[in-house]
Structure formats: C-alpha cells, structure tokens
C-alpha cells in the first residue's frame, strides 16, 4: 500500500466553477469527519458526491490516500462509465466506482453516497435478522432500509442493477457480509443517516451480547416511529 502526501496535489480551485469547488470542500470535510469518528478502513471505502449541475459526473476519493489526507483538490472527478475527467496523479478503486455509480445513475435525488466497513456494521450485516428495532434510533430504519446479498468484491458492472433494486426507494442499504451504505441529498444527510445506522448496529450488538432476553415494540409502534422520522 502506497500512502501519498495529499499536500503535493496542486490546487484545482482556479480550474473548476464555484459550485464544484464548494462541493469538493464539503466532500473533503465529510472524509475528515468520517475519519474522526473512526469509520475508516485504511485507504478503502468511499464517499462520493455528484458534481453540481451534472447528471453523470461525481467526485470520489483518490485511491491510495487515507481519509484524513483527502483534500478538496485531490478528489477525483469521474463519470458513470468510470472515466477520469480531470488531470490527476491518482486512480479510482474499481469497487468504489461500481457501487457508487450504480446509485448515482439510478437515483437522481441522492447526490451523496457513503459506504463504510465499520466493525458493528459488518457484524450486523452477517446476522440473518438484520437490523432490529431495539431502540428509538434503530426504529428510524424500520421498513426503510434495503438488504443486498454479498456477491464478492464489487467489481462486476452487472451488480449495479441488483444494488439499485435492493436499495429500492430507500436511502440506506445493508450490504450483507460486507458493510453499510447511506445516501442523501447532500453530504450532511448521508453522514447523519450513517451516524445513526452505525450507532444502531453498536447498540444491537451490545444487547445481543448480554445473552439476556430483550424486548421490541409491536410492529405498529415501529411503523409509527419510522414515519415520525421520515415525515417531510
């Protein structure tokens, strides 16, 4: 693994429009925030953000940098075919392109996609029961989360169709035996959903780890609580 110095990356501020530059700043900040919360997996995993004013272009992390090293200028701009659109010294991870392009192509309402391999997320992704509505925060996701079966490292383009189908109309996806994915209208929404999804997974593991009986509210209460979270 080669970890480069992002400070060596020349600024692109003068080469991009103001909206794209602001998007780059927000996305770089999201990477730093995810690193601060300890949701990283060395140089792996990704957060992507649609380039403002485009339908088929998005920004993603340069492969080889740690999250805490990513800057607005080092982010790589690619299209949904995987073509790098700007001059850069970096490449893009194939699996990141496949997963994120799938959602950017299919869901025009979701501009930011955040994917993690947190330990609690991976653990819950391996449970047949999936995420349980064990507390108020977890009930946010009741009937509002998709599940995608593991197909190996996501480097096959034809998996994109199944990722999108399993996400459905939701903004959150548990990728079984893999990890968590959230998406939103902006970086803030995607991060907010991931924060509560990771916490819900952590709580579930703590509850199940006690080996004691546990209780869950009835279905109608779970549905009511979820509706309260997702109402306009």
């Amino acid at each position: 693994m080669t970890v480069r110095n992002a400070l060596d990356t020349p600024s692109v501020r003068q080469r991009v429009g103001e909206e794209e530059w602001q998007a780059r700043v927000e996305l770089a900040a999201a990477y730093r925030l995810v690193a601060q919360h300890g949701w990283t997996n060395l140089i792996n995993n990704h957060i992507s953000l649609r380039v403002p004013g485009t339908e088929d272009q998005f920004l993603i992390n340069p492969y080889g940098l740690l999250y805490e090293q990513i800057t607005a200028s080092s982010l790589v701009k690619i299209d949904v075919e995987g073509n790098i659109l700007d001059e850069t010294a970096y490449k893009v991870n194939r699996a990141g392109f496949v997963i994120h392009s799938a959602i950017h192509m299919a869901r025009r309402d979701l501009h930011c996609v955040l994917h993690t391999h947190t330990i609690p997320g991976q653990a819950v992704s391996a449970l047949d029961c999936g995420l349980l509505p064990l507390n108020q925060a977890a009930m946010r996701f009741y009937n509002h989360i998709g599940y995608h079966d593991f197909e190996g490292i996501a480097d096959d383009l034809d998996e994109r169709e199944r990722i999108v189908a399993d996400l459905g109309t939701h903004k959150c996806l548990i990728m079984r035996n893999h990890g968590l994915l959230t998406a939103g209208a902006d970086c803030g929404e995607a991060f907010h959903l991931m924060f509560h999804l990771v916490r819900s997974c952590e709580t579930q593991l703590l509850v199940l780890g006690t080996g004691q009986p546990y209780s869950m509210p009835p279905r109608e209460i779970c549905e009511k609580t979820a509706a309260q979270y997702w109402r306009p």
Side-chain angles (χ1 to χ4, degrees):
M1 179 182 72
T2 301
V3 178
R4 302 183 181 182
N5 186 355
L7 296 179
D8 295 335
T9 304
S11 175
V12 301
R13 185 165 192 175
Q14 302 306 315
R15 295 197 286 111
V16 301
E18 186 59 34
E19 286 189 336
E20 180 178 330
W21 178 252
Q22 184 59 37
R24 285 174 172 272
V25 170
E26 292 177 4
L27 182 55
Y31 275 102
R32 302 298 182 98
L33 195 55
V34 167
Q36 184 177 8
H37 280 270
W39 300 342
T40 61
N41 186 24
L42 296 179
I43 63 172
N44 300 302
N45 295 140
H46 317 276
I47 316 171
S48 62
L49 182 63
R50 194 187 309 275
V51 176
T54 73
E55 294 289 336
D56 62 348
Q57 300 175 15
F58 59 98
L59 301 166
I60 198 166
N61 51 321
Y63 193 56
L65 294 186
L66 300 170
Y67 273 30
E68 56 265 34
Q69 294 178 306
I70 292 172
T71 65
S73 292
S74 66
L75 291 163
V76 181
K77 180 163 59 174
I78 63 176
D79 63 20
V80 293
E81 301 301 326
N83 300 308
I84 294 177
L85 303 177
D86 270 346
E87 183 179 343
T88 178
Y90 299 101
K91 295 182 179 180
V92 171
N93 178 264
R94 171 74 173 180
F97 158 69
V98 169
I99 294 169
H100 289 249
S101 64
I103 298 170
H104 284 297
M105 289 170 64
R107 294 287 300 274
R108 303 303 184 186
D109 58 319
L110 301 179
H111 299 302
C112 182
V113 181
L114 199 169
H115 174 48
T116 65
H117 287 175
T118 63
I119 292 176
Q122 291 184 89
V124 170
S125 78
L127 297 176
D128 287 346
C129 63
L131 184 67
L132 299 173
L134 294 175
N135 56 29
Q136 178 176 289
M139 287 179 221
R140 171 194 307 268
F141 304 103
Y142 190 80
N143 289 338
H144 284 271
I145 193 165
Y147 290 84
H148 176 66
D149 288 339
F150 188 65
E151 299 186 23
I153 295 174
D155 57 7
D156 294 326
L157 288 178
D158 63 359
E159 188 177 352
R160 295 194 294 190
E161 180 179 345
R162 293 183 290 278
I163 289 173
V164 169
D166 291 332
L167 177 64
T169 60
H170 306 310
K171 295 183 177 182
C172 305
L173 184 70
I174 290 181
M175 306 184 78
R176 290 199 180 276
N177 311 103
H178 187 171
L180 308 177
L181 183 147
T182 59
D186 52 31
C187 291
E189 184 179 20
F191 178 86
H192 180 78
L193 291 171
M194 183 61 71
F195 179 89
H196 291 292
L197 185 53
V198 171
R199 285 289 185 90
S200 297
C201 290
E202 291 173 342
T203 300
Q204 178 167 320
L205 295 178
L206 287 172
V207 171
L208 298 184
T210 67
Q212 298 298 310
Y214 57 86
S215 62
M216 291 189 294
R219 176 182 56 79
E220 59 269 20
I221 296 301
C222 293
E223 291 175 347
K224 174 186 175 181
T225 306
Q228 289 173 314
Y229 274 116
W230 291 100
R231 62 189 173 195

